[in-house]
Amino acid sequence: MKKFLYFSADWCGPCRQLGPTMEEVAKEGITVQKIDVDRSPEMSQRYGVRNIPTVILLNEMGEEQGRKVGANPKLAYLNMYNQN
């Protein structure tokens, strides 16, 4: 199953701005796994996340299929999901 990894932090303003958008994406039936970079630094390192918010699309095999850095509109994530 494809899913988004949403790298975020409580202290990050753009992350707080993106939160409701990612909730809307999840309501479309898409799995969104939120990862707090402060609580899971190993995940950030594993995926090479240097800036937040970062959203990574993984395919069924767990391979990265797309990445967006910064707060983007809902449609950008839906398009990335549907194109891959």
Side-chain angles (χ1 to χ4, degrees), residues 5 42 64 80:
L5 300 180
E42 68 284 350
E64 183 174 331
M80 181 170 63

Side-chain angles (χ1 to χ4, degrees), residues 12-71:
C12 168
C15 299
R16 288 194 303 269
Q17 179 184 2
L18 182 57
T21 300
M22 294 312 294
E23 288 174 12
E24 289 179 26
V25 168
K27 287 178 184 174
E28 297 282 336
I30 298 169
T31 300
V32 176
Q33 180 181 346
K34 186 175 180 181
I35 299 161
D36 186 313
V37 296
D38 293 326
R39 293 191 182 117
S40 300
E42 68 284 350
M43 287 288 285
S44 301
Q45 187 175 14
R46 176 179 173 188
Y47 289 98
V49 173
R50 298 191 181 275
N51 299 298
I52 52 173
T54 294
V55 177
I56 298 174
L57 176 63
L58 299 181
N59 67 10
E60 293 84 358
M61 305 297 290
E63 301 165 331
E64 183 174 331
Q65 296 297 296
R67 177 181 295 232
K68 294 211 176 288
V69 178

